[in-house]
Amino acid sequence: MQDAQAPACLPVPGLWSSESRDLILPNGGTPAGTSSPASSSSLLNRLQLDDDIDGETRDLFVTVDDPKKHVCTMETYITYRITTKSTRVEFDLPEYSVRRRYQDFDWLRNKLEESQPTHLIPPLPEKFVVKGVVDRFSEEFVETRRKALDKFLKRITDHPVLSFNEHFNVFLTAKDLNAYKKQGMALLTRVGESVKHVTGGYKLRSRPLEFAAIGDYLDTFALKLGTIDRIAQRIIKEEIEYLVELREYGPVYSTWSALEGELAEPLEGVSACIGNCSAALEELTDDMTEDFLPVLREYILYSDSMKSVLKKRDQVQAEYEAKLEAVALRKEDRPKVPADVEKCQDRMECFNADLKADMERWQNNKRQDFRQLLMGMADKNIQYYEKCLMAWESIIPLLQEKQEAK
Amino acid sequence: MDSYYMLKNNFLLKKIEISVSEAEKRTGRTAMNMQETYTAYLIETRSVEHADGQSVLTDALWRRYSEFELLRNYLLVYYPHVVVPPLPEKRAEFVWHKLSADNMDPDFVERRRIGLENFLLRVASHPVLCRDKIFYLFLTQEGNWKETVNETGFQLKADSRLKALNATFRVKNPDKRFTELKHYSDELQSVISHLLRVRARVADRLYGVYKVHGNYGRVFSEWSAIEKEMGDGLQSAGHHMDVYAASIDDILEDEEHYADQLKEYLFYAEALRAVCRKHELMQYDLEMAAQDLASKKQQCEELATGTVRTFSLKGMTTKLFGQETPEQREARIKVLEEQIKEGEQQLKSKNLEGREFVKNAWADIERFKEQKNRDLKEALISYAVMQISMCKKVGGWYLTLLPVCLDSCSCFSLLLGCIGICSHF
């Protein structure tokens, strides 16, 4: 069974190939057909360049849209259309359009985690929603989910290694994903064994400084985001309650206006003004809920999955160190380090390299995402105040109007 | 309250300036010899005689709220056709959680001080009330003023029926204008009360929104500590949140001033209603007097002609126990004739009184309507101006946040977008 081969100009994607147990060593002994890997950092540089030049050298585009509700006897669910455009050789056709449901995304993510354990896999929006509380089929919920799923796929698309993953390819192209899934089950057990075999039960003495720093950063980061999420939710709640009162406040001016003669128009004007401000506030609150909160949640989930990847890395290092120690204790005079210890070392070094590269790209993306988020929040607030400003400014002339002499 | 308008309607104010400049906590003894704490207010009167507009302090004395109440009650009795300016509220009402309901609270005392000054200015600028001696003495005679007021005996003059606000007196020929006005004053009271209640809740909620934003300040600051490139942007955002949260106190203090303006007219509505009520009672008394006169005339006629159509006790007893003597009848007729004469006089003067009242009351009501429309328009304008300045202030802060977020981003369109928004602020 042919592996999804990387194009000749790029290095072998990762250490783990789902199709074979053999470890591909970066230091030599690479199977024919693949070139020696360039360093991850130079790869990253190349791709950063790609990112800056808006899609000019990009050869893969993926979009998630068009949610549709399916009503079956057993269940009701939503599918999304996934459109892929690519010039890559891995794709037989230049364009694909398939429909997928959340389950399929979940499957994809799991496969990616299995097959690319040294990389950071982007998070999916939350799987479970409390059925009574949230309407899974409401427009807002579906749209929020669609955006998150689109982001998920785009992140994978942007990743120099993940985007070439075979499962990803099948996800984007296969007419019948379920058939492929069933196939994969058999392989799962084999891989599962190998993974277990390698990464079980070693304890790391100390994390190297740079990874410890990443770990600490992620801990604080997730904590702060969690706090911000709670505050944001509280703000939305307070704004909604404020809105409720505003909605009662405005109309009272109308009631008053009905009693008056000369004051009728000014009072009616004030009532309308407050109504406009209420509408503007509702928009702001909706935007907060739809655009701001999901990004916070996404990054909290991201942090969690990243921390577990860090732990896996620790495991790999621990295994290497244990084996190295065992060799040293054997007091043999062998100058050559046994093959399996060498393998461990390579595994560790590759993991470290992949992780560092991914961390850097994650930091860049995070910066961009949060910059956009803060700007978006500022912008939405500015729009709200602009609307209120215009409403109040427009009634000043009305209020100052002198009544024509009766 | 703009003293400019006062000077325009220049009556007493032409010659003097009135201000309630200070408030002071005092302790004293009640009539029951119990210790009490109250607030006294300093009333200063200045005469503006000199050509250069300089004012000289002519009088300064301390009064407490109860004395203001006494003055007002006196004015209500002696000028029943006038819409008498109201006092600021006795107890804090329509409070939202941050406002104190305590009468000794400094903010409440300050707002009351302004309200009392406003009351005096209103009285001083009223064409009729400003000439009142008792009012003049209120401003100038500290000691003995209470005794002087009580000596007028106004409490005796006060119609106790007025206290029963909702008691209905069936008036056969009500004056339509007054009926409509009374209805209007009821509606106005109701709608302004509602408005003030909801406004207080709105203020409460807005306070909550602003204050929760304040929680962002600290967490953004803490987050900025772990970031390299984003640090500045986050620090700035955190700082803005703190400033935003702190700004609500001033915003709501300004709004409280607007609420006070509305409250004045809430109480004015009561004063308006009182005038209608007095007219109603006057009309009722008139009708009762006319009715009484008519029945007496009828009685007289029957006695004279011997026919009994109207019921009277004497008539009944006469039927039961025998006729009365002609002398007795004559005597009765004479008494009745006297009463009728008196009654006719009284009815005449009551009618005159009534017409005077309607004329004067209606003049004052027209004056009041103009004042009300002017004042409330001003209040709405200043409220709108408050909102505008708030929007500009807060919107402006968010605007200053943008460039920091832009950072090293060279996205041209975003910069252009910012410039576009700048033009509004």
Side-chain angles (χ1 to χ4, degrees), chain A residues 217 224 241 245 253 260 366-367 371, chain B residues 184 201 205 222 227 229 258 372 405 424:
Chain A
Y217 170 82
K224 296 307 150 194
E241 295 189 342
E245 301 297 351
Y253 282 97
E260 297 288 339
K366 177 209 78 185
R367 254 196 305 280
R371 187 188 290 149
Chain B
Y184 168 77
R201 292 204 303 262
R205 289 299 175 195
E222 289 168 358
E227 296 290 342
E229 273 122 29
Y258 171 69
K372 177 204 78 176
C405 290
H424 274 285

mmCIF file with all atom_site columns, all heavy atoms in Angstrom, chain A residues 217 224 241 245 253 260 366-367 371, chain B residues 184 201 205 222 227 229 258 372 405 424:
data_model
loop_
_atom_site.group_PDB
_atom_site.id
_atom_site.type_symbol
_atom_site.label_atom_id
_atom_site.label_alt_id
_atom_site.label_comp_id
_atom_site.label_asym_id
_atom_site.label_entity_id
_atom_site.label_seq_id
_atom_site.pdbx_PDB_ins_code
_atom_site.Cartn_x
_atom_site.Cartn_y
_atom_site.Cartn_z
_atom_site.occupancy
_atom_site.B_iso_or_equiv
_atom_site.pdbx_formal_charge
_atom_site.auth_seq_id
_atom_site.auth_comp_id
_atom_site.auth_asym_id
_atom_site.auth_atom_id
_atom_site.pdbx_PDB_model_num
ATOM 1   N N   . TYR A 1 217 ? 4.470   28.507 29.951 1.00 0.00 ? 217 TYR A N   1
ATOM 2   C CA  . TYR A 1 217 ? 3.730   29.506 29.174 1.00 0.00 ? 217 TYR A CA  1
ATOM 3   C C   . TYR A 1 217 ? 2.305   29.028 28.907 1.00 0.00 ? 217 TYR A C   1
ATOM 4   O O   . TYR A 1 217 ? 1.337   29.765 29.118 1.00 0.00 ? 217 TYR A O   1
ATOM 5   C CB  . TYR A 1 217 ? 4.454   29.785 27.852 1.00 0.00 ? 217 TYR A CB  1
ATOM 6   C CG  . TYR A 1 217 ? 3.614   30.624 26.920 1.00 0.00 ? 217 TYR A CG  1
ATOM 7   C CD1 . TYR A 1 217 ? 3.566   32.012 27.050 1.00 0.00 ? 217 TYR A CD1 1
ATOM 8   C CD2 . TYR A 1 217 ? 2.833   30.021 25.933 1.00 0.00 ? 217 TYR A CD2 1
ATOM 9   C CE1 . TYR A 1 217 ? 2.768   32.777 26.215 1.00 0.00 ? 217 TYR A CE1 1
ATOM 10  C CE2 . TYR A 1 217 ? 2.029   30.777 25.111 1.00 0.00 ? 217 TYR A CE2 1
ATOM 11  C CZ  . TYR A 1 217 ? 1.996   32.153 25.250 1.00 0.00 ? 217 TYR A CZ  1
ATOM 12  O OH  . TYR A 1 217 ? 1.186   32.910 24.439 1.00 0.00 ? 217 TYR A OH  1
ATOM 13  N N   . LYS A 1 224 ? -5.149  32.384 31.909 1.00 0.00 ? 224 LYS A N   1
ATOM 14  C CA  . LYS A 1 224 ? -5.607  33.754 31.625 1.00 0.00 ? 224 LYS A CA  1
ATOM 15  C C   . LYS A 1 224 ? -6.771  33.760 30.647 1.00 0.00 ? 224 LYS A C   1
ATOM 16  O O   . LYS A 1 224 ? -7.730  34.516 30.818 1.00 0.00 ? 224 LYS A O   1
ATOM 17  C CB  . LYS A 1 224 ? -4.448  34.607 31.068 1.00 0.00 ? 224 LYS A CB  1
ATOM 18  C CG  . LYS A 1 224 ? -3.312  34.821 32.039 1.00 0.00 ? 224 LYS A CG  1
ATOM 19  C CD  . LYS A 1 224 ? -3.791  35.380 33.360 1.00 0.00 ? 224 LYS A CD  1
ATOM 20  C CE  . LYS A 1 224 ? -2.885  34.920 34.490 1.00 0.00 ? 224 LYS A CE  1
ATOM 21  N NZ  . LYS A 1 224 ? -3.460  35.156 35.812 1.00 0.00 ? 224 LYS A NZ  1
ATOM 22  N N   . GLU A 1 241 ? -29.019 42.054 30.323 1.00 0.00 ? 241 GLU A N   1
ATOM 23  C CA  . GLU A 1 241 ? -29.934 42.574 31.338 1.00 0.00 ? 241 GLU A CA  1
ATOM 24  C C   . GLU A 1 241 ? -30.131 44.072 31.176 1.00 0.00 ? 241 GLU A C   1
ATOM 25  O O   . GLU A 1 241 ? -31.223 44.585 31.369 1.00 0.00 ? 241 GLU A O   1
ATOM 26  C CB  . GLU A 1 241 ? -29.411 42.228 32.738 1.00 0.00 ? 241 GLU A CB  1
ATOM 27  C CG  . GLU A 1 241 ? -29.408 40.726 32.949 1.00 0.00 ? 241 GLU A CG  1
ATOM 28  C CD  . GLU A 1 241 ? -29.112 40.285 34.363 1.00 0.00 ? 241 GLU A CD  1
ATOM 29  O OE1 . GLU A 1 241 ? -28.577 41.082 35.150 1.00 0.00 ? 241 GLU A OE1 1
ATOM 30  O OE2 . GLU A 1 241 ? -29.428 39.124 34.667 1.00 0.00 ? 241 GLU A OE2 1
ATOM 31  N N   . GLU A 1 245 ? -33.776 46.306 30.274 1.00 0.00 ? 245 GLU A N   1
ATOM 32  C CA  . GLU A 1 245 ? -34.275 47.533 30.894 1.00 0.00 ? 245 GLU A CA  1
ATOM 33  C C   . GLU A 1 245 ? -34.415 48.649 29.864 1.00 0.00 ? 245 GLU A C   1
ATOM 34  O O   . GLU A 1 245 ? -35.390 49.392 29.869 1.00 0.00 ? 245 GLU A O   1
ATOM 35  C CB  . GLU A 1 245 ? -33.330 47.984 32.025 1.00 0.00 ? 245 GLU A CB  1
ATOM 36  C CG  . GLU A 1 245 ? -33.138 46.980 33.130 1.00 0.00 ? 245 GLU A CG  1
ATOM 37  C CD  . GLU A 1 245 ? -34.410 46.645 33.896 1.00 0.00 ? 245 GLU A CD  1
ATOM 38  O OE1 . GLU A 1 245 ? -35.437 47.304 33.691 1.00 0.00 ? 245 GLU A OE1 1
ATOM 39  O OE2 . GLU A 1 245 ? -34.378 45.695 34.691 1.00 0.00 ? 245 GLU A OE2 1
ATOM 40  N N   . TYR A 1 253 ? -41.051 56.999 27.094 1.00 0.00 ? 253 TYR A N   1
ATOM 41  C CA  . TYR A 1 253 ? -41.028 58.331 26.495 1.00 0.00 ? 253 TYR A CA  1
ATOM 42  C C   . TYR A 1 253 ? -42.143 58.479 25.467 1.00 0.00 ? 253 TYR A C   1
ATOM 43  O O   . TYR A 1 253 ? -42.730 59.544 25.314 1.00 0.00 ? 253 TYR A O   1
ATOM 44  C CB  . TYR A 1 253 ? -39.662 58.599 25.846 1.00 0.00 ? 253 TYR A CB  1
ATOM 45  C CG  . TYR A 1 253 ? -38.581 58.952 26.831 1.00 0.00 ? 253 TYR A CG  1
ATOM 46  C CD1 . TYR A 1 253 ? -37.690 57.976 27.300 1.00 0.00 ? 253 TYR A CD1 1
ATOM 47  C CD2 . TYR A 1 253 ? -38.436 60.252 27.312 1.00 0.00 ? 253 TYR A CD2 1
ATOM 48  C CE1 . TYR A 1 253 ? -36.699 58.295 28.211 1.00 0.00 ? 253 TYR A CE1 1
ATOM 49  C CE2 . TYR A 1 253 ? -37.433 60.577 28.222 1.00 0.00 ? 253 TYR A CE2 1
ATOM 50  C CZ  . TYR A 1 253 ? -36.574 59.596 28.667 1.00 0.00 ? 253 TYR A CZ  1
ATOM 51  O OH  . TYR A 1 253 ? -35.598 59.912 29.576 1.00 0.00 ? 253 TYR A OH  1
ATOM 52  N N   . GLU A 1 260 ? -48.600 64.910 25.626 1.00 0.00 ? 260 GLU A N   1
ATOM 53  C CA  . GLU A 1 260 ? -48.132 66.283 25.480 1.00 0.00 ? 260 GLU A CA  1
ATOM 54  C C   . GLU A 1 260 ? -48.484 66.906 24.145 1.00 0.00 ? 260 GLU A C   1
ATOM 55  O O   . GLU A 1 260 ? -48.884 66.221 23.207 1.00 0.00 ? 260 GLU A O   1
ATOM 56  C CB  . GLU A 1 260 ? -46.609 66.318 25.654 1.00 0.00 ? 260 GLU A CB  1
ATOM 57  C CG  . GLU A 1 260 ? -46.129 65.896 27.022 1.00 0.00 ? 260 GLU A CG  1
ATOM 58  C CD  . GLU A 1 260 ? -46.420 66.914 28.101 1.00 0.00 ? 260 GLU A CD  1
ATOM 59  O OE1 . GLU A 1 260 ? -46.627 68.098 27.756 1.00 0.00 ? 260 GLU A OE1 1
ATOM 60  O OE2 . GLU A 1 260 ? -46.433 66.530 29.281 1.00 0.00 ? 260 GLU A OE2 1
ATOM 61  N N   . LYS A 1 366 ? -1.103  32.552 16.610 1.00 0.00 ? 366 LYS A N   1
ATOM 62  C CA  . LYS A 1 366 ? -1.779  33.063 17.799 1.00 0.00 ? 366 LYS A CA  1
ATOM 63  C C   . LYS A 1 366 ? -1.720  34.583 17.824 1.00 0.00 ? 366 LYS A C   1
ATOM 64  O O   . LYS A 1 366 ? -2.713  35.255 18.093 1.00 0.00 ? 366 LYS A O   1
ATOM 65  C CB  . LYS A 1 366 ? -1.125  32.464 19.055 1.00 0.00 ? 366 LYS A CB  1
ATOM 66  C CG  . LYS A 1 366 ? -1.707  32.989 20.348 1.00 0.00 ? 366 LYS A CG  1
ATOM 67  C CD  . LYS A 1 366 ? -0.691  32.976 21.444 1.00 0.00 ? 366 LYS A CD  1
ATOM 68  C CE  . LYS A 1 366 ? 0.251   34.141 21.276 1.00 0.00 ? 366 LYS A CE  1
ATOM 69  N NZ  . LYS A 1 366 ? 1.345   34.127 22.239 1.00 0.00 ? 366 LYS A NZ  1
ATOM 70  N N   . ARG A 1 367 ? -0.550  35.121 17.537 1.00 0.00 ? 367 ARG A N   1
ATOM 71  C CA  . ARG A 1 367 ? -0.398  36.569 17.519 1.00 0.00 ? 367 ARG A CA  1
ATOM 72  C C   . ARG A 1 367 ? -1.375  37.191 16.541 1.00 0.00 ? 367 ARG A C   1
ATOM 73  O O   . ARG A 1 367 ? -2.088  38.136 16.854 1.00 0.00 ? 367 ARG A O   1
ATOM 74  C CB  . ARG A 1 367 ? 1.033   36.956 17.121 1.00 0.00 ? 367 ARG A CB  1
ATOM 75  C CG  . ARG A 1 367 ? 1.873   37.451 18.266 1.00 0.00 ? 367 ARG A CG  1
ATOM 76  C CD  . ARG A 1 367 ? 3.082   38.169 17.756 1.00 0.00 ? 367 ARG A CD  1
ATOM 77  N NE  . ARG A 1 367 ? 3.890   37.384 16.838 1.00 0.00 ? 367 ARG A NE  1
ATOM 78  C CZ  . ARG A 1 367 ? 4.763   36.449 17.209 1.00 0.00 ? 367 ARG A CZ  1
ATOM 79  N NH1 . ARG A 1 367 ? 4.938   36.192 18.493 1.00 0.00 ? 367 ARG A NH1 1
ATOM 80  N NH2 . ARG A 1 367 ? 5.460   35.786 16.312 1.00 0.00 ? 367 ARG A NH2 1
ATOM 81  N N   . ARG A 1 371 ? -4.468  39.453 17.623 1.00 0.00 ? 371 ARG A N   1
ATOM 82  C CA  . ARG A 1 371 ? -4.434  40.828 17.137 1.00 0.00 ? 371 ARG A CA  1
ATOM 83  C C   . ARG A 1 371 ? -5.755  41.140 16.438 1.00 0.00 ? 371 ARG A C   1
ATOM 84  O O   . ARG A 1 371 ? -6.394  42.136 16.700 1.00 0.00 ? 371 ARG A O   1
ATOM 85  C CB  . ARG A 1 371 ? -3.277  40.991 16.158 1.00 0.00 ? 371 ARG A CB  1
ATOM 86  C CG  . ARG A 1 371 ? -3.058  42.435 15.735 1.00 0.00 ? 371 ARG A CG  1
ATOM 87  C CD  . ARG A 1 371 ? -2.049  42.514 14.622 1.00 0.00 ? 371 ARG A CD  1
ATOM 88  N NE  . ARG A 1 371 ? -0.709  42.198 15.103 1.00 0.00 ? 371 ARG A NE  1
ATOM 89  C CZ  . ARG A 1 371 ? 0.206   41.619 14.343 1.00 0.00 ? 371 ARG A CZ  1
ATOM 90  N NH1 . ARG A 1 371 ? -0.055  41.263 13.107 1.00 0.00 ? 371 ARG A NH1 1
ATOM 91  N NH2 . ARG A 1 371 ? 1.415   41.387 14.828 1.00 0.00 ? 371 ARG A NH2 1
ATOM 92  N N   . TYR B 2 184 ? -54.816 65.075 33.066 1.00 0.00 ? 184 TYR B N   1
ATOM 93  C CA  . TYR B 2 184 ? -53.451 65.214 32.561 1.00 0.00 ? 184 TYR B CA  1
ATOM 94  C C   . TYR B 2 184 ? -52.431 65.118 33.693 1.00 0.00 ? 184 TYR B C   1
ATOM 95  O O   . TYR B 2 184 ? -51.416 64.421 33.559 1.00 0.00 ? 184 TYR B O   1
ATOM 96  C CB  . TYR B 2 184 ? -53.289 66.547 31.815 1.00 0.00 ? 184 TYR B CB  1
ATOM 97  C CG  . TYR B 2 184 ? -51.848 66.903 31.521 1.00 0.00 ? 184 TYR B CG  1
ATOM 98  C CD1 . TYR B 2 184 ? -51.144 66.295 30.480 1.00 0.00 ? 184 TYR B CD1 1
ATOM 99  C CD2 . TYR B 2 184 ? -51.170 67.840 32.307 1.00 0.00 ? 184 TYR B CD2 1
ATOM 100 C CE1 . TYR B 2 184 ? -49.824 66.615 30.225 1.00 0.00 ? 184 TYR B CE1 1
ATOM 101 C CE2 . TYR B 2 184 ? -49.852 68.162 32.059 1.00 0.00 ? 184 TYR B CE2 1
ATOM 102 C CZ  . TYR B 2 184 ? -49.185 67.550 31.015 1.00 0.00 ? 184 TYR B CZ  1
ATOM 103 O OH  . TYR B 2 184 ? -47.866 67.860 30.775 1.00 0.00 ? 184 TYR B OH  1
ATOM 104 N N   . ARG B 2 201 ? -33.314 51.550 37.162 1.00 0.00 ? 201 ARG B N   1
ATOM 105 C CA  . ARG B 2 201 ? -32.895 50.176 36.852 1.00 0.00 ? 201 ARG B CA  1
ATOM 106 C C   . ARG B 2 201 ? -31.868 50.170 35.730 1.00 0.00 ? 201 ARG B C   1
ATOM 107 O O   . ARG B 2 201 ? -30.880 49.432 35.766 1.00 0.00 ? 201 ARG B O   1
ATOM 108 C CB  . ARG B 2 201 ? -34.106 49.323 36.452 1.00 0.00 ? 201 ARG B CB  1
ATOM 109 C CG  . ARG B 2 201 ? -35.076 49.066 37.602 1.00 0.00 ? 201 ARG B CG  1
ATOM 110 C CD  . ARG B 2 201 ? -35.879 47.807 37.372 1.00 0.00 ? 201 ARG B CD  1
ATOM 111 N NE  . ARG B 2 201 ? -36.624 47.808 36.132 1.00 0.00 ? 201 ARG B NE  1
ATOM 112 C CZ  . ARG B 2 201 ? -37.912 48.119 36.023 1.00 0.00 ? 201 ARG B CZ  1
ATOM 113 N NH1 . ARG B 2 201 ? -38.580 48.506 37.090 1.00 0.00 ? 201 ARG B NH1 1
ATOM 114 N NH2 . ARG B 2 201 ? -38.512 48.072 34.868 1.00 0.00 ? 201 ARG B NH2 1
ATOM 115 N N   . ARG B 2 205 ? -28.009 48.651 35.843 1.00 0.00 ? 205 ARG B N   1
ATOM 116 C CA  . ARG B 2 205 ? -27.481 47.678 34.903 1.00 0.00 ? 205 ARG B CA  1
ATOM 117 C C   . ARG B 2 205 ? -26.244 48.195 34.190 1.00 0.00 ? 205 ARG B C   1
ATOM 118 O O   . ARG B 2 205 ? -25.268 47.478 33.989 1.00 0.00 ? 205 ARG B O   1
ATOM 119 C CB  . ARG B 2 205 ? -28.564 47.314 33.866 1.00 0.00 ? 205 ARG B CB  1
ATOM 120 C CG  . ARG B 2 205 ? -29.672 46.491 34.450 1.00 0.00 ? 205 ARG B CG  1
ATOM 121 C CD  . ARG B 2 205 ? -29.168 45.209 34.984 1.00 0.00 ? 205 ARG B CD  1
ATOM 122 N NE  . ARG B 2 205 ? -30.172 44.446 35.653 1.00 0.00 ? 205 ARG B NE  1
ATOM 123 C CZ  . ARG B 2 205 ? -29.896 43.420 36.440 1.00 0.00 ? 205 ARG B CZ  1
ATOM 124 N NH1 . ARG B 2 205 ? -28.662 43.062 36.641 1.00 0.00 ? 205 ARG B NH1 1
ATOM 125 N NH2 . ARG B 2 205 ? -30.877 42.753 36.998 1.00 0.00 ? 205 ARG B NH2 1
ATOM 126 N N   . GLU B 2 222 ? -1.720  40.698 33.463 1.00 0.00 ? 222 GLU B N   1
ATOM 127 C CA  . GLU B 2 222 ? -1.005  39.460 33.786 1.00 0.00 ? 222 GLU B CA  1
ATOM 128 C C   . GLU B 2 222 ? -0.635  38.684 32.521 1.00 0.00 ? 222 GLU B C   1
ATOM 129 O O   . GLU B 2 222 ? 0.430   38.093 32.419 1.00 0.00 ? 222 GLU B O   1
ATOM 130 C CB  . GLU B 2 222 ? -1.882  38.582 34.689 1.00 0.00 ? 222 GLU B CB  1
ATOM 131 C CG  . GLU B 2 222 ? -2.023  39.138 36.099 1.00 0.00 ? 222 GLU B CG  1
ATOM 132 C CD  . GLU B 2 222 ? -3.115  38.433 36.890 1.00 0.00 ? 222 GLU B CD  1
ATOM 133 O OE1 . GLU B 2 222 ? -3.787  37.544 36.323 1.00 0.00 ? 222 GLU B OE1 1
ATOM 134 O OE2 . GLU B 2 222 ? -3.290  38.774 38.068 1.00 0.00 ? 222 GLU B OE2 1
ATOM 135 N N   . GLU B 2 227 ? 3.818   37.465 27.339 1.00 0.00 ? 227 GLU B N   1
ATOM 136 C CA  . GLU B 2 227 ? 3.920   37.587 25.886 1.00 0.00 ? 227 GLU B CA  1
ATOM 137 C C   . GLU B 2 227 ? 5.096   38.461 25.502 1.00 0.00 ? 227 GLU B C   1
ATOM 138 O O   . GLU B 2 227 ? 5.471   39.383 26.220 1.00 0.00 ? 227 GLU B O   1
ATOM 139 C CB  . GLU B 2 227 ? 2.636   38.195 25.316 1.00 0.00 ? 227 GLU B CB  1
ATOM 140 C CG  . GLU B 2 227 ? 1.408   37.346 25.516 1.00 0.00 ? 227 GLU B CG  1
ATOM 141 C CD  . GLU B 2 227 ? 1.415   36.078 24.684 1.00 0.00 ? 227 GLU B CD  1
ATOM 142 O OE1 . GLU B 2 227 ? 2.200   36.009 23.702 1.00 0.00 ? 227 GLU B OE1 1
ATOM 143 O OE2 . GLU B 2 227 ? 0.652   35.151 25.011 1.00 0.00 ? 227 GLU B OE2 1
ATOM 144 N N   . GLU B 2 229 ? 5.779   39.719 21.806 1.00 0.00 ? 229 GLU B N   1
ATOM 145 C CA  . GLU B 2 229 ? 5.367   40.771 20.869 1.00 0.00 ? 229 GLU B CA  1
ATOM 146 C C   . GLU B 2 229 ? 4.005   41.364 21.181 1.00 0.00 ? 229 GLU B C   1
ATOM 147 O O   . GLU B 2 229 ? 3.739   42.508 20.892 1.00 0.00 ? 229 GLU B O   1
ATOM 148 C CB  . GLU B 2 229 ? 5.374   40.239 19.424 1.00 0.00 ? 229 GLU B CB  1
ATOM 149 C CG  . GLU B 2 229 ? 6.728   40.366 18.759 1.00 0.00 ? 229 GLU B CG  1
ATOM 150 C CD  . GLU B 2 229 ? 7.230   39.014 18.288 1.00 0.00 ? 229 GLU B CD  1
ATOM 151 O OE1 . GLU B 2 229 ? 6.360   38.158 17.981 1.00 0.00 ? 229 GLU B OE1 1
ATOM 152 O OE2 . GLU B 2 229 ? 8.445   38.794 18.236 1.00 0.00 ? 229 GLU B OE2 1
ATOM 153 N N   . TYR B 2 258 ? -30.209 64.828 35.680 1.00 0.00 ? 258 TYR B N   1
ATOM 154 C CA  . TYR B 2 258 ? -31.358 64.735 34.775 1.00 0.00 ? 258 TYR B CA  1
ATOM 155 C C   . TYR B 2 258 ? -32.554 64.156 35.515 1.00 0.00 ? 258 TYR B C   1
ATOM 156 O O   . TYR B 2 258 ? -33.670 64.670 35.402 1.00 0.00 ? 258 TYR B O   1
ATOM 157 C CB  . TYR B 2 258 ? -30.981 63.857 33.577 1.00 0.00 ? 258 TYR B CB  1
ATOM 158 C CG  . TYR B 2 258 ? -32.127 63.484 32.667 1.00 0.00 ? 258 TYR B CG  1
ATOM 159 C CD1 . TYR B 2 258 ? -32.754 64.430 31.879 1.00 0.00 ? 258 TYR B CD1 1
ATOM 160 C CD2 . TYR B 2 258 ? -32.571 62.164 32.577 1.00 0.00 ? 258 TYR B CD2 1
ATOM 161 C CE1 . TYR B 2 258 ? -33.803 64.084 31.031 1.00 0.00 ? 258 TYR B CE1 1
ATOM 162 C CE2 . TYR B 2 258 ? -33.611 61.805 31.738 1.00 0.00 ? 258 TYR B CE2 1
ATOM 163 C CZ  . TYR B 2 258 ? -34.225 62.766 30.964 1.00 0.00 ? 258 TYR B CZ  1
ATOM 164 O OH  . TYR B 2 258 ? -35.257 62.414 30.130 1.00 0.00 ? 258 TYR B OH  1
ATOM 165 N N   . LYS B 2 372 ? -42.923 74.673 31.757 1.00 0.00 ? 372 LYS B N   1
ATOM 166 C CA  . LYS B 2 372 ? -42.710 73.239 31.708 1.00 0.00 ? 372 LYS B CA  1
ATOM 167 C C   . LYS B 2 372 ? -42.115 72.823 30.364 1.00 0.00 ? 372 LYS B C   1
ATOM 168 O O   . LYS B 2 372 ? -41.135 72.062 30.312 1.00 0.00 ? 372 LYS B O   1
ATOM 169 C CB  . LYS B 2 372 ? -44.029 72.518 31.961 1.00 0.00 ? 372 LYS B CB  1
ATOM 170 C CG  . LYS B 2 372 ? -43.939 71.002 31.865 1.00 0.00 ? 372 LYS B CG  1
ATOM 171 C CD  . LYS B 2 372 ? -45.263 70.383 31.557 1.00 0.00 ? 372 LYS B CD  1
ATOM 172 C CE  . LYS B 2 372 ? -45.542 70.564 30.094 1.00 0.00 ? 372 LYS B CE  1
ATOM 173 N NZ  . LYS B 2 372 ? -46.746 69.950 29.585 1.00 0.00 ? 372 LYS B NZ  1
ATOM 174 N N   . CYS B 2 405 ? -2.877  47.670 18.552 1.00 0.00 ? 405 CYS B N   1
ATOM 175 C CA  . CYS B 2 405 ? -3.121  46.308 18.094 1.00 0.00 ? 405 CYS B CA  1
ATOM 176 C C   . CYS B 2 405 ? -2.505  46.069 16.720 1.00 0.00 ? 405 CYS B C   1
ATOM 177 O O   . CYS B 2 405 ? -2.052  44.983 16.415 1.00 0.00 ? 405 CYS B O   1
ATOM 178 C CB  . CYS B 2 405 ? -4.623  46.038 17.999 1.00 0.00 ? 405 CYS B CB  1
ATOM 179 S SG  . CYS B 2 405 ? -5.426  45.929 19.589 1.00 0.00 ? 405 CYS B SG  1
ATOM 180 N N   . HIS B 2 424 ? -14.963 60.933 12.828 1.00 0.00 ? 424 HIS B N   1
ATOM 181 C CA  . HIS B 2 424 ? -16.177 61.063 13.633 1.00 0.00 ? 424 HIS B CA  1
ATOM 182 C C   . HIS B 2 424 ? -15.883 61.591 15.015 1.00 0.00 ? 424 HIS B C   1
ATOM 183 O O   . HIS B 2 424 ? -16.711 62.197 15.659 1.00 0.00 ? 424 HIS B O   1
ATOM 184 C CB  . HIS B 2 424 ? -16.885 59.725 13.767 1.00 0.00 ? 424 HIS B CB  1
ATOM 185 C CG  . HIS B 2 424 ? -17.807 59.458 12.627 1.00 0.00 ? 424 HIS B CG  1
ATOM 186 N ND1 . HIS B 2 424 ? -19.013 60.081 12.484 1.00 0.00 ? 424 HIS B ND1 1
ATOM 187 C CD2 . HIS B 2 424 ? -17.684 58.643 11.553 1.00 0.00 ? 424 HIS B CD2 1
ATOM 188 C CE1 . HIS B 2 424 ? -19.591 59.659 11.380 1.00 0.00 ? 424 HIS B CE1 1
ATOM 189 N NE2 . HIS B 2 424 ? -18.831 58.792 10.804 1.00 0.00 ? 424 HIS B NE2 1
#
